[in-house]
Amino acid sequence: MCLAVPGRVLEVFEESGTTMAAVDFGGVRKKVCLAYLPETGVGEYVIVHVGFAIQRLDEESARETLATFERMGLLEEEFGDGFEAAARQKGVEA
Amino acid sequence: MKYLDEFSDPDLARRLLDQIHAVTTRPWAMMEVCGGQTHSIIRHGIDQLLPEGVEMIHGPGCPVCVTPLETIDRALAIARRPEVIFCSFGDMLRVPGSHDDLFTVKSEGGDVRVVYSPLDALQVARDNPDKQVVFFGIGFETTAPANAMTVHQARRQGIANFSLLVSHVLVPPAIAAIMESPTCRVQGFLAAGHVCSVMGTAEYPPLAERYGVPIVVTGFEPLDILEGIRRTIVQLEQGRHELENAYPRAVPAEGNPAAMAMLSDVFEVTDRTWRGIGTIPGSGWRLAPRYAEYDAELRFEVDDIRTDESPLCRSGEVLQGLIKPHECPAFGKECTPRNPLGATMVSSEGACAAYYAYRRLDLVAAGEVGS
Amino acid sequence: MSDDLDFEGWTCPAPLRGTPTVVMGHGGGGAMSAELVESLFLPAYGGAARAELGDAAVLPAASGRLAFTTDSYVVKPMFFPGGCIGDLAVNGTVNDLAMVGAQPLYLSTAYILAEGTAMSDIGRVATAVGKAAEQAGVQLVTGDTKVVDHGSGDGIYVNTAGVGVVPDGVVIGPDRARPGDAVLVSGPIGLHGVAVMSCREGLEFSTPVESDSAPLHGLVADLLGTGVDVRVMRDPTRGGLSASLNEIARASGAGIDLVERDLPVPAEVRDACGLLGLDPLQVANEGKLVAIVPGDAAEAALEAMRAHPYGAGACRIGTVVEEHPRMVVARTGLGGTRVIDLPIGEQLPRIC
């Protein structure tokens, strides 16, 4: 289920009484129904499934999540056994 | 694509894997509910990279796989009618009914069309006023809002030659049914991220509590899946069983209230038979009586459906996580993507299809399957 | 190829009898058929056509082995970004000849037209055929036209058959791949399939994706000119790279290892495929080739290809191996492996 992809809203307009949007997926553009997220503004990100925006993508949250992943393992490298950390690092790069 | 590619970063994946290895002290078995997650796990080889003893049990989160055989046969009967244009998502085209599939019906002259969105089917209805257009409305809670809006629009725009054949299934009752099964080995769940984007997370704490299992809302990209697995194992190691949200960028706790309002207007809960598993009470949605005029099941009288499941097919056990695809004797022999016996070998998310596509190499090497 | 062809602006020796669309009579073999050939096809073909497009063309004998191929073209929509069915009909057949190392010489063109198809559409396609043939340096020597009931065909179907000559000593075939050989591709993949699919699915691109339809025999000649022992060449059309590589693996009995990270997938193709749930490896290409050469000759082969306009993006994507015979396997970004299967039927957009 759920092949849903994030895209950026380029334009919001009405069509047959329904709120629609032109959404950009990194160079590919498609018309998407925005009726479930009518407050979305141009430049914001939404998650699109079968031609409908089902939820907004919280960019701040996305950045935080990635930052958390980036910090993982670093504390141990700082305070852990230097040789062990180096050996593990070597294993990562192999 | 932004906010997608970053979550496949191999270096960050390595770090998450290291963390998982660091926290795991004993065997654990957890289930990813969603077929899209199964697909991602197998395709990226995540299950090959987890610690020894950590097992991913693949859940029944493939709406294509669990659509009841009787519904497929009904869809085929409707699609064969000369006045009907039958529209469907691409996933459904090769799902085997008792005797054939939508693809065969198309090749025999039925007007079967693949659409990307249910709104495309509504457009087909507008463009073909002298035909009956039927849309095959399958899917979990993620897809239901799209189908609901389409019916709502059909009514608002007075499009009478459109109807929906509905077969929606719900995740929380499935989790309950799996946990109630006496052969259940599942100790934790990765909940389906995009289902929760729509429905929020409120339905899951009671399940975590009742069955004593951690439930972690998880996304679909490799990093998201690894993080979902990591958090589940941390809880298991610490003896906790709580709801956690590992996909906050796409899942607010309240879900999408506008979508949920539409869902409660257009659909009502019903018992649903899951192909290969059996009837799970209150596990599906059907069109509410006020939308009965758009219900294809009522509009088209289809008699004489005698379902005939392949006796060799063990999709049900695969869907319940009781066996792995390659443990089915027919896997790779009588049953292949070219000649599927059951839906799990057809659907791009079905566990059998995923194993056949991505795991076959290891299975061939281990002598478990011919090449 | 310009899409702004002015059908009205031709000088026809005898104007067509004012029919804006094709009718059954045009396929009947009588005066109307002759008129269609004289007033539409011959002018459209221009310099690429022989003066008389008779029932059979009598051609000078060639020295060397003959290569012979045929293909039918049924693409919908007929006109898409970067080209139309006419370009495909010529380049596709030219490329089939090129893939066995042949110099393409002569083409036949046979049309099946649905009654009611606009003459201007037929004219546009025919002009494209003429231009593509001229660019490819092949002669259009014979042809046929049939008209079928409205609803039996869909616009225009074209069949082209092609004849070429293979120079002595050139032996190219899928069974020749050996463990240790390098797998090369001549440039970015997935463009044609995405260009066509984007029309059907209403996708727009900020930088339009255009079909890569192109005649490759010049590129092949340059490649063969290096003296490298080119074992196999294939143009990955329907079924994409996956279909071609699987055919080669099966024919040779060897396995093929791909490095997913090395596949040249343009961002627009990747994103469009991501949206629709398609695999770029299974998407059609109309101006690319896969070449299998000895491992130590890879650099020389790539250099030759990159020097040619149609090979600018050439790169190495994998290796022929002894392991997993007859299977194509890709190493994923995360270090796992996945089997790349022969596609079953058409790729369809999916929700899951």
Side-chain angles (χ1 to χ4, degrees):
Chain A
M1 75 192 90
C2 327
L3 181 68
V5 270
R8 192 164 54 93
V9 173
L10 294 174
E11 203 195 314
V12 179
F13 54 93
E14 291 286 305
E15 198 177 84
S16 317
T18 311
T19 313
M20 304 289 286
V23 177
D24 171 57
F25 301 91
V28 186
R29 262 202 308 257
K30 202 159 185 354
K31 195 167 70 176
V32 164
C33 178
L34 206 59
Y36 288 129
L37 292 166
E39 309 291 305
T40 313
V42 169
E44 290 186 62
Y45 278 81
V46 290
I47 295 186
V48 177
H49 175 69
V50 303
F52 283 76
I54 56 169
Q55 189 50 263
R56 50 183 294 272
L57 182 128
D58 185 336
E59 291 184 75
E60 187 56 48
S61 174
R63 284 191 283 267
E64 267 168 36
T65 304
L66 284 169
T68 312
F69 295 158
E70 268 151 28
R71 279 195 302 271
M72 270 182 194
L74 289 181
L75 278 176
E76 281 157 38
E77 276 167 31
E78 277 182 35
F79 296 104
D81 182 324
F83 285 108
E84 202 190 284
R88 211 179 45 228
Q89 190 81 344
K90 238 188 139 50
V92 166
E93 273 151 23
Chain B
M1 261 191 263
K2 197 157 191 243
Y3 297 120
L4 212 64
D5 301 338
E6 304 91 322
F7 291 90
S8 294
D9 184 289
D11 291 324
L12 295 180
R14 194 70 252 173
R15 284 186 219 197
L16 278 162
L17 275 163
D18 286 345
Q19 291 290 303
I20 291 172
H21 281 263
V23 299
T24 308
T25 65
R26 66 196 108 144
W28 297 113
M30 69 197 89
M31 174 178 275
E32 85 278 0
V33 180
C34 177
Q37 292 165 334
T38 307
H39 187 93
S40 194
I41 287 170
I42 308 294
R43 186 215 184 289
H44 293 286
I46 288 173
D47 56 332
Q48 295 169 319
L49 301 165
L50 293 172
E52 189 88 32
V54 172
E55 191 193 340
M56 300 308 301
I57 298 178
H58 312 307
C62 166
V64 172
C65 304
V66 301
T67 304
L69 184 55
E70 196 196 313
T71 308
I72 306 277
D73 287 343
R74 187 180 299 273
L76 296 172
I78 294 174
R80 274 192 206 98
R81 293 162 84 118
E83 74 276 20
V84 167
I85 300 178
F86 195 84
C87 297
S88 168
F89 296 124
D91 319 60
M92 296 306 292
L93 233 68
R94 298 185 62 250
V95 173
S98 294
H99 304 290
D100 43 25
D101 54 34
L102 281 172
F103 209 69
T104 319
V105 170
K106 183 174 157 76
S107 66
E108 286 169 1
D111 195 340
V112 176
R113 302 193 196 180
V114 171
V115 293
Y116 162 72
S117 164
L119 289 178
D120 297 336
L122 197 57
Q123 186 61 44
V124 172
R126 272 190 219 100
D127 294 340
N128 295 273
D130 52 336
K131 293 278 194 177
Q132 281 290 323
V133 176
V134 180
F135 181 69
F136 204 176
I138 56 123
F140 276 83
E141 297 95 316
T142 323
T143 319
N147 294 335
M149 177 67 74
T150 307
V151 171
H152 183 85
Q153 276 200 6
R155 162 161 290 168
R156 208 152 47 86
Q157 293 168 18
I159 301 175
N161 61 325
F162 177 81
S163 60
L164 206 64
L165 183 63
V166 178
S167 185
H168 279 303
V169 278
L170 306 172
V171 169
I175 289 182
I178 285 163
M179 293 311 297
E180 301 275 351
S181 160
T183 43
C184 173
R185 293 185 302 120
V186 178
Q187 297 164 304
F189 284 93
L190 302 189
H194 293 141
V195 166
C196 296
S197 293
V198 173
M199 302 297 289
T201 56
E203 297 169 292
Y204 298 91
L207 289 168
E209 189 54 49
R210 188 181 325 146
Y211 299 109
V213 286
I215 300 181
V216 178
V217 178
T218 303
F220 298 81
E221 298 309 302
L223 297 190
D224 294 315
I225 302 222
L226 287 169
E227 175 64 354
I229 293 173
R230 187 191 72 82
R231 293 209 203 181
T232 308
I233 293 178
V234 166
Q235 281 204 42
L236 287 167
E237 292 277 341
Q238 293 172 357
R240 291 186 289 125
H241 48 270
E242 293 154 14
L243 169 77
E244 260 188 83
N245 185 353
Y247 194 31
R249 69 184 186 273
V251 179
E254 72 275 13
N256 186 323
M260 288 164 75
M262 179 69 81
L263 291 169
S264 52
D265 178 47
V266 174
F267 294 117
E268 64 178 21
V269 174
T270 180
D271 297 340
R272 181 78 63 204
T273 308
W274 294 48
R275 188 172 181 176
I277 295 175
T279 306
I280 303 179
S283 66
W285 276 331
R286 61 161 176 245
L287 278 174
R290 64 186 147 269
Y291 284 91
E293 75 205 83
Y294 292 99
D295 193 338
E297 224 168 302
L298 301 175
R299 191 178 288 199
F300 299 95
E301 258 182 59
V302 175
D303 306 312
D304 264 9
I305 295 199
R306 254 167 303 221
T307 56
D308 195 8
E309 196 74 86
S310 158
L312 288 177
C313 176
R314 296 174 64 181
S315 284
E317 290 165 84
V318 172
L319 285 166
Q320 294 174 71
L322 299 171
I323 61 170
K324 290 278 190 298
H326 60 280
E327 289 162 356
C328 166
F331 179 83
K333 305 186 185 75
E334 295 92 335
C335 185
T336 63
R338 184 160 265 137
N339 292 301
L341 296 182
T344 45
M345 185 58 92
V346 172
S347 168
S348 47
E349 317 188 315
C352 297
Y355 266 63
Y356 191 88
Y358 304 130
R359 260 318 137 261
R360 206 156 86 252
L361 179 65
D362 309 331
L363 299 173
V364 166
E368 298 190 40
V369 149
S371 61
Chain C
M1 195 216 105
S2 164
D3 275 357
D4 310 327
L5 296 164
D6 183 15
F7 179 84
E8 317 303 323
W10 292 347
T11 17
C12 310
L16 282 165
R17 296 176 209 200
T19 37
T21 62
V22 77
V23 299
M24 293 303 283
H26 286 115
M32 287 181 80
S33 296
E35 217 167 67
L36 195 62
V37 173
E38 294 283 319
S39 309
L40 191 148
F41 285 110
L42 277 179
Y45 286 176
R50 281 187 135 198
E52 349 70 48
L53 286 179
D55 276 344
V58 179
L59 307 164
S63 59
R65 291 159 295 157
L66 281 179
F68 183 40
T69 184
T70 186
D71 247 314
S72 298
Y73 299 86
V74 300
V75 67
K76 260 192 294 188
M78 282 193 298
F79 302 98
F80 42 82
C84 71
I85 190 174
D87 304 281
L88 298 188
V90 169
N91 292 332
T93 295
V94 161
N95 289 345
D96 279 347
L97 292 172
M99 292 305 113
V100 295
Q103 171 67 27
L105 293 173
Y106 309 112
L107 247 57
S108 68
T109 56
Y111 295 87
I112 297 179
L113 308 169
E115 189 178 25
T117 304
M119 283 297 189
S120 53
D121 281 349
I122 301 173
R124 281 170 74 188
V125 169
T127 305
V129 168
K131 277 214 163 80
E134 200 170 10
Q135 207 209 352
V138 294
Q139 254 204 327
L140 304 168
V141 299
T142 185
D144 183 60
T145 310
K146 291 288 181 298
V147 182
V148 294
D149 277 330
H150 184 59
S152 304
D154 208 279
I156 302 175
Y157 292 157
V158 187
N159 168 278
T160 49
V163 168
V165 175
V166 183
D168 286 333
V170 172
V171 180
I172 297 173
D175 54 309
R176 291 200 62 221
R178 298 269 170 284
D181 287 349
V183 182
L184 314 175
V185 72
S186 62
I189 61 173
L191 293 165
H192 175 79
V194 166
V196 170
M197 184 100 37
S198 67
C199 286
R200 297 211 283 244
E201 301 299 330
L203 297 179
E204 276 166 38
F205 298 89
S206 43
T207 339
V209 171
E210 294 196 340
S211 168
D212 60 345
S213 174
L216 298 175
H217 55 299
L219 176 65
V220 169
D222 283 0
L223 183 55
L224 294 177
T226 59
V228 164
D229 176 20
V230 178
R231 313 250 222 239
V232 191
M233 284 188 295
R234 263 293 207 266
D235 57 336
T237 54
R238 272 201 173 172
L241 218 55
S242 168
S244 297
L245 293 175
N246 270 284
E247 277 161 32
I248 295 169
R250 274 161 211 237
S252 64
I256 292 182
D257 265 352
L258 294 180
V259 181
E260 220 170 58
R261 224 177 13 216
D262 293 343
L263 295 170
V265 182
E268 298 82 35
V269 168
R270 201 191 45 223
D271 294 339
C273 288
L275 246 182
L276 298 172
L278 305 175
D279 183 354
L281 281 171
Q282 296 187 349
V283 176
N285 308 273
E286 291 287 335
K288 298 291 173 320
L289 63 83
V290 169
I292 307 223
V293 302
D296 52 14
E299 271 320 303
L302 286 173
E303 210 184 301
M305 284 204 275
R306 286 174 188 148
H308 190 281
Y310 291 142
C315 58
R316 178 174 183 161
I317 57 172
T319 312
V320 180
V321 295
E322 255 174 47
E323 292 84 8
H324 49 78
R326 288 182 306 282
M327 283 169 74
V328 179
V329 174
R331 181 156 304 278
T332 74
L334 261 59
T337 54
R338 65 176 184 113
V339 176
I340 308 293
D341 252 322
L342 252 183
I344 297 170
E346 253 184 271
Q347 274 206 84
L348 301 163
R350 55 185 183 92
I351 64 157
C352 302

